[in-house]
Amino acid sequence: MNDSSRMGEMRSDGWLFTRAYAKVNLTLDVLGRRADGYHELASVLQTVALADTLAFRALPNGQIEVFCDAPALRGPENLVYRAVEALRGATGCRRGVRIELQKRIPAQGGLGGGSSDAAMVLLALNRWWHLGLARERLLELAASLGSDVPFFVLGGTALVEGRGERVTPLPDLPGMWVMLLKPSVAVSTPAAFRALTPADYTDGQATATLVSAIRGSALPSLDGLMNALEARVCQEYPAVAESRAAFFQAGAQFVCMSGSGPTLFALFPSLAEAAPVYQALLGEGRQVWLTRAVSRKEALRVVSLPGESDI
Ligand code: C5P
């Protein structure tokens, strides 16, 4: 097998296509505020099948070009661009690349879209350019790009701690349907964290309980899902509280916010249970996606050598 055939869809015309999956936070404990201004977290993250598409093609003379179908995300401040520069800076590699990015994951939704794109650039170019960076080094580069990026270097189901830089892989959850509902409001991540008071901090118990359940192959209890940022976000953004009520009204048994929001999610063991809820929310003209949990192997397939995704 040559290198390109191991890497997803490398076409004969030189384009390499990969997918960058979104995530949801099944739990998000905020343990406290750190001296550096960040917050200490304990969170179980899960990749879901909603994905952006990245296309890579070699460019001469070390040029870097990034094109995104969303005009607001075209500039050099896009994390994709910064990921290429971080990789080149770390290795001295001067190869050029054009990256075309088709956004499907809503930006600033709490679903990690930009972070996932950046992680996929690190993984794909490390492989394509034969840079040979070990996973630990990729995790460091990922952390330099943003708190959510390290998770996507592993994907699947994982425990994330610290600022986001400590990622521990967990066994895959059983297959399940994940419904996403995005309220029509933008929530700034720094503002969501700033709004927390010590009364909002949690002790990490919800995350620890879920981690034990997953390690013991028990089905996670829906009641155990929580997000320490959710109450304040609902308080400050009535559109999120309203969407949450609508999700329950449509038939969801349990609703949780992902990341700093505003996207809400609900889990369903079968499509038969999910479909009526999805139809009801669509009928109300809401932004809703019916997607599914994605295993680590599937999330990393496009950039893994045989055996390497079995962490
Ligand atoms: O790391 P990143 O730039 O993605 O974080 C965005 C913002 O979210 C930070 O500037 C900080 O305000 C907040 N944040 C935090 N604690 C974390 C992660 C993010 O306070 N663990």
Side-chain angles (χ1 to χ4, degrees):
M1 222 168 23
N2 64 28
D3 199 52
S4 56
S5 66
R6 288 184 195 122
M7 283 187 48
E9 304 289 314
M10 168 65 96
R11 296 156 42 100
S12 58
D13 57 12
W15 281 105
L16 167 73
F17 286 87
T18 67
R19 263 192 297 253
Y21 292 103
K23 58 84 176 164
V24 291
N25 298 74
L26 298 177
T27 59
L28 179 48
D29 275 294
V30 179
L31 307 177
R33 192 164 182 278
R34 307 168 8 152
D36 63 5
Y38 283 89
H39 290 77
E40 192 70 13
L41 309 178
S43 180
V44 175
L45 278 83
Q46 171 66 52
T47 41
V48 298
L50 176 66
D52 292 339
T53 297
L54 290 108
F56 300 79
R57 192 191 167 110
L59 279 186
N61 308 321
Q63 299 169 71
I64 305 174
E65 284 178 10
V66 175
F67 177 82
C68 180
D69 59 348
L73 302 178
R74 277 182 198 156
E77 66 282 358
N78 190 310
L79 271 191
V80 159
Y81 196 94
R82 289 180 43 212
V84 181
E85 291 197 315
L87 205 54
R88 297 206 317 183
T91 59
C93 171
R94 302 304 305 160
R95 289 174 71 161
V97 66
R98 176 176 172 86
I99 301 176
E100 299 197 339
L101 170 60
Q102 182 193 33
K103 289 302 289 183
R104 283 295 172 267
I105 307 169
Q108 295 194 314
L111 299 171
S115 302
S116 183
D117 298 338
M120 186 45 72
V121 168
L122 296 179
L123 290 164
L125 292 183
N126 184 48
R127 174 70 58 215
W128 193 21
W129 287 347
H130 303 281
L131 300 177
L133 294 185
R135 182 169 282 116
E136 283 311 311
R137 186 73 184 108
L138 290 174
L139 284 168
E140 282 171 15
L141 291 180
S144 76
L145 296 169
S147 301
D148 265 349
V149 185
F151 163 72
F152 289 104
V153 172
L154 277 90
T157 311
L159 166 66
V160 170
E161 296 171 288
R163 177 172 75 86
E165 77 285 5
R166 291 209 314 275
V167 188
T168 307
L170 294 171
D172 288 324
L173 286 175
M176 64 175 109
W177 299 92
V178 181
M179 199 176 306
L180 306 171
L181 173 62
K182 185 177 172 295
S184 319
V185 64
V187 174
S188 133
T189 301
F193 275 101
R194 258 199 319 272
L196 295 179
T197 69
D200 299 309
Y201 299 152
T202 50
D203 60 3
Q205 196 53 51
T207 297
T209 303
L210 182 59
V211 167
S212 302
I214 294 171
R215 287 203 170 121
S217 304
L219 276 180
S221 152
L222 289 185
D223 304 347
L225 308 189
M226 56 73 73
N227 182 330
L229 295 162
E230 184 171 335
R232 291 275 169 218
V233 169
C234 283
Q235 205 173 43
E236 305 215 352
Y237 301 85
V240 181
E242 188 276 332
S243 294
R244 192 171 175 279
F247 217 158
F248 281 114
Q249 184 67 33
Q253 303 288 314
F254 190 86
V255 173
C256 191
M257 191 175 81
S258 182
S260 58
T263 306
L264 304 162
F265 69 92
L267 306 178
F268 297 86
S270 77
L271 186 58
E273 285 156 276
V277 181
Y278 179 68
Q279 291 303 335
L281 293 169
L282 263 192
E284 294 170 16
R286 295 180 188 270
Q287 271 195 292
V288 57
W289 294 263
L290 181 48
T291 181
R292 65 184 170 83
V294 162
S295 70
R296 171 164 309 110
K297 194 165 185 175
E298 186 175 354
L300 298 184
R301 191 169 53 203
V302 287
V303 285
S304 297
L305 293 172
E308 202 183 60
S309 61
D310 306 327
I311 296 167

